[in-house]
């Protein structure tokens, strides 16, 4: 009898695993829609609770109001920005393709203005032939513009697929908002962990998602807007495009938007546009740098309680593995890694800065 019971348990576990794998395989084609539905639900849950308190007897109405606000505040602005970005990217590609915008020529102008000692230093690394470097930079710029144009064309061709995923995301978001409490309780009940462990891991998941999405997006949007504005004031072509690029790069702590504005500032200084170079350098290092140094620790590091180097590495790894969604998945995995190991070995306190640890006992 015992052997039969054990066999039934093992068979049920195998069936449970097989059905779960099959279920996730079915969801995989729409994994992006499911992921962002969950993320938006976590981010907008506090707002939904306030709205639900106004309509306690009408959960469907409260979910619809929250969904409408999510559309107006986040999703529609992103769609409008994407359309404008696609148009500007196509215009930049046309300028590069026709030679009106030549990055190799820009490098030649910088190289000509370099002091002799720096030219000699470049010669030691076999970087003293400006024509070869100019050709490489021109080739890279053409390839990059072709890549962007190809992606824009692919997005246009896959409009139907995007609309389907978008509608699925909104559909799931509605039910996650309305029935989120029930789903969370079922997941908690099904996870075979201690209640204290489930509460800590669940709280960590919610905290990291909200801090990463709201914090990183706030920093990215602020730096991208500031960068786009200064580029537009200085008369740089493609200010919107470069602003979006700076916003995307600002997701990387410690590196950020300087990858874009710093070379432009060097170009201005090297080609005699001194005041433009000084203004851009001061603006980038002062205003945009201040945004990163003040907002990011307050909105991201403070809530996630992870050091900057771990946020940087996990963000880079997440972006390389999962694409754009990696800026959320990477830090989330890192935070859960720390939380799980802290539960397993609480005395280790993984990821906690050394200066915040208690002093060692000295006998």
């Amino acid at each position: 009898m015992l052997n039969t019971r054990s066999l039934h348990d093992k068979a049920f576990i195998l069936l449970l695993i097989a059905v779960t794998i099959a279920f996730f395989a079915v969801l995989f084609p729409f994994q992006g829609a499911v992921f962002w539905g969950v993320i938006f639900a976590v981010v907008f849950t506090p707002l939904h609770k306030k709205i639900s308190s106004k309509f306690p007897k009408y959960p469907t109405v409260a979910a619809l109001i929250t969904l409408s606000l999510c559309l107006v505040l986040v999703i529609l602005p992103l769609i409008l920005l994407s359309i404008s970005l696609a148009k500007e990217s196509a215009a930049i590609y046309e300028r590069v393709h026709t030679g009106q915008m030549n990055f190799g020529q820009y490098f030649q102008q910088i190289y000509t203005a370099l002091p002799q000692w720096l030219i000699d230093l470049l010669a030691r690394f076999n970087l003293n032939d400006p024509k070869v470097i100019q050709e490489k930079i021109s080739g890279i710029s053409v390839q990059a513009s072709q890549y962007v144009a190809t992606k824009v064309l692919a997005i246009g061709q896959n409009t139907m697929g995007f609309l389907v995923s978008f509608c699925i995301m909104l559909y799931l978001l509605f039910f996650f908002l309305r029935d989120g409490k029930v789903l969370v309780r079922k997941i908690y009940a099904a996870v075979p962990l201690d209640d204290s462990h489930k509460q800590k891991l669940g709280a960590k998941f919610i905290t990291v998602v909200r801090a990463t999405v709201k914090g990183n997006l706030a920093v990215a949007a602020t730096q991208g807007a500031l960068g786009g504005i200064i580029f537009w004031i200085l008369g740089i072509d493609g200010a919107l495009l470069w602003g979006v690029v700076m916003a995307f790069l600002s997701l990387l702590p410690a590196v950020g938007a300087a990858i874009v504005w710093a070379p432009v500032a060097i170009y201005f200084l090297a080609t005699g546009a001194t005041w433009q170079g000084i203004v851009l350098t001061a603006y980038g290092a002062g205003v945009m740098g201040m945004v990163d140094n003040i907002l990011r620790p307050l909105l991201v590091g403070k809530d996630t309680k992870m050091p900057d180097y771990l946020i940087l590495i996990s963000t880079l790894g997440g972006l390389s593995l999962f694409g754009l969604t990696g800026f959320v998945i990477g830090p989330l995995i890192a935070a859960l890694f720390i939380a799980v190991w802290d539960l397993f070995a609480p005395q280790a306190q993984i990821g906690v800065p050394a200066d915040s640890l208690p002093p060692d006992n000295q006998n």
Side-chain angles (χ1 to χ4, degrees):
M1 183 67 180
L2 293 177
N3 291 336
T4 303
R5 181 63 181 175
S6 176
L7 179 62
H8 289 172
D9 291 341
K10 292 179 180 179
F12 180 76
I13 294 297
L14 289 175
L15 176 63
L16 180 64
I17 295 173
V19 171
T20 302
I21 294 174
F23 176 72
F24 281 106
V26 171
L27 294 182
F28 185 78
F30 304 103
Q31 43 89 17
V34 176
F35 175 80
W36 283 110
V38 173
I39 296 302
F40 281 126
V42 171
V43 171
F44 281 89
T45 291
L47 175 63
H48 179 62
K49 288 182 178 179
K50 294 181 180 179
I51 296 175
S52 297
S53 65
K54 305 293 183 180
F55 304 93
K57 297 182 179 180
Y58 305 97
T60 300
V61 174
L64 285 174
I65 294 174
T66 307
L67 182 63
S68 300
L69 290 175
C70 180
L71 275 170
V72 173
L73 296 176
V74 178
I75 298 176
L76 288 182
L78 287 177
I79 292 176
L80 294 176
L81 179 62
S82 299
I83 294 173
S84 300
L85 179 62
K87 293 180 179 179
E88 189 155 305
S89 299
I92 292 292
Y93 168 74
E94 184 64 25
R95 293 176 189 173
V96 173
H97 188 69
T98 58
Q100 297 178 13
M101 182 178 290
N102 191 329
F103 291 98
Q105 184 179 358
Y106 299 155
F107 172 80
Q108 177 66 46
Q109 294 175 340
I110 296 175
Y111 187 88
T112 304
L114 292 177
Q116 187 60 42
W117 65 268
L118 187 53
I119 294 177
D120 294 337
L121 180 62
L122 293 175
R124 295 182 181 180
F125 297 95
N126 295 324
L127 298 175
N128 57 332
D129 191 346
K131 292 184 179 180
V132 175
I133 299 176
Q134 181 179 353
E135 291 176 357
K136 290 183 179 180
I137 293 178
S138 298
I140 292 173
S141 62
V142 171
Q143 291 177 359
S145 61
Q146 288 176 344
Y147 174 80
V148 172
T150 302
K151 290 297 182 182
V152 171
L153 180 61
I155 293 173
Q157 292 175 342
N158 296 326
T159 302
M160 183 56 66
F162 170 79
L163 289 176
V164 171
S165 297
F166 180 73
C167 292
I168 291 174
M169 187 270 291
L170 293 180
Y171 185 74
L172 291 175
L173 177 57
F174 167 77
F175 285 102
F176 289 155
L177 290 171
R178 194 190 69 174
D179 306 325
K181 290 183 179 180
V182 177
L183 293 174
V184 169
R185 282 199 294 266
K186 288 184 177 181
I187 293 173
Y188 267 49
V191 174
L193 293 175
D194 292 339
D195 289 341
S196 61
H197 291 176
K198 286 188 284 189
Q199 291 176 359
K200 183 172 182 179
L201 292 175
K204 176 63 72 174
F205 173 83
I206 293 173
T207 300
V208 172
V209 168
R210 289 178 181 167
T212 303
V213 174
K214 293 193 296 185
N216 279 336
L217 289 184
V219 174
T222 303
Q223 285 199 328
L226 291 173
I229 289 171
I230 192 63
F231 272 38
W232 176 73
I233 292 174
L234 296 176
I236 300 172
D237 291 335
L240 176 62
L241 174 62
W242 296 121
V244 173
V245 172
M246 283 186 276
F248 178 77
L249 291 174
S250 66
L251 295 174
L252 306 176
V255 182
I259 297 177
V260 176
W261 65 258
V264 178
I266 293 174
Y267 170 78
F268 279 144
L269 294 173
T271 55
T274 307
W275 74 268
Q276 291 94 329
I278 294 175
V279 168
L280 184 56
T281 301
Y283 186 89
V287 178
M288 297 177 65
M290 181 178 64
V291 169
D292 189 71
N293 294 330
I294 295 178
L295 283 184
R296 193 182 300 277
L298 288 176
L299 299 177
V300 183
K302 181 180 179 181
D303 291 334
T304 60
K305 296 181 180 178
M306 290 195 301
D308 289 341
Y309 68 85
L310 188 57
I311 296 175
L312 173 62
I313 295 174
S314 60
T315 302
L316 287 172
L319 290 171
S320 64
L321 286 176
F322 304 104
L324 184 59
T325 57
F327 87 90
V328 178
I329 299 177
L332 177 60
I333 292 175
L336 292 178
F337 169 81
I338 293 174
V340 170
W341 276 96
D342 283 345
L343 291 174
F344 177 74
Q347 69 277 7
Q349 299 189 45
I350 300 173
V352 178
D355 54 3
S356 65
L357 293 175
D360 295 334
N361 293 327
Q362 296 180 359
N363 297 324

